[in-house]
Amino acid sequence: QVQLVESGGGLVQAGGSLRLSCAASGLIFSRYDMGWYRQAPGKQRELVARIFTTNTTNYADSVKDRFTISRDNAKKAVYLQMNSLRPEDTAVYYCNAGRVIPALNYWGQGTQVTVSS
């Protein structure tokens, strides 16, 4: 049974930092591309950052130069370091694990991030 458990969310003032963690179990972690997505109230879920099995990364334009995604295959964990947070970063942040072949996709339950102005 695959589980993705996020932690590290909370309330922070604008300009502050948070570090999200996602602990994975029940899968061969190193074979999965990992990502962080977010969903704000009334909006669609959107990609924040991804890190592939090759350690290549990509980011949404809105978070480039502020957020950093990383992974630790030995710990089966992925992280999102968020700096210079803005009120518009307020959302539920979800961890995602995916593979293309075979087509597999898993989600965590999410962690709330609230940035006050």
Side-chain angles (χ1 to χ4, degrees):
Q1 179 182 354
V2 175
Q3 280 193 314
L4 301 175
V5 180
E6 302 97 335
S7 61
L11 174 64
V12 64
Q13 287 189 331
S17 298
L18 283 174
R19 186 184 191 227
L20 304 184
S21 299
C22 172
S25 60
L27 75 169
I28 303 175
F29 184 81
S30 61
R31 297 183 182 177
Y32 283 78
D33 300 325
M34 300 300 297
W36 287 97
Y37 290 72
R38 68 187 181 187
Q39 187 167 18
K43 295 189 177 182
Q44 289 189 333
R45 191 172 298 189
E46 63 175 1
L47 173 69
V48 175
R50 278 186 300 190
I51 183 165
F52 298 91
T53 57
T54 57
N55 279 327
T56 302
T57 59
N58 62 21
Y59 296 90
D61 287 344
S62 60
V63 306
K64 277 181 184 176
D65 301 323
R66 298 190 298 125
F67 291 10
T68 302
I69 189 171
S70 60
R71 65 189 296 160
D72 186 330
N73 288 343
K75 294 183 178 180
K76 295 187 176 182
V78 62
Y79 308 100
L80 186 68
Q81 178 66 42
M82 305 187 293
N83 299 328
S84 302
L85 282 161
R86 304 168 180 169
E88 53 264 40
D89 295 318
T90 295
V92 178
Y93 284 70
Y94 296 91
C95 179
N96 173 267
R99 288 187 66 175
V100 175
I101 299 173
L104 296 169
N105 199 34
Y106 301 103
W107 293 93
Q109 291 188 322
T111 185
Q112 177 71 46
V113 171
T114 303
V115 184
S116 64
S117 57

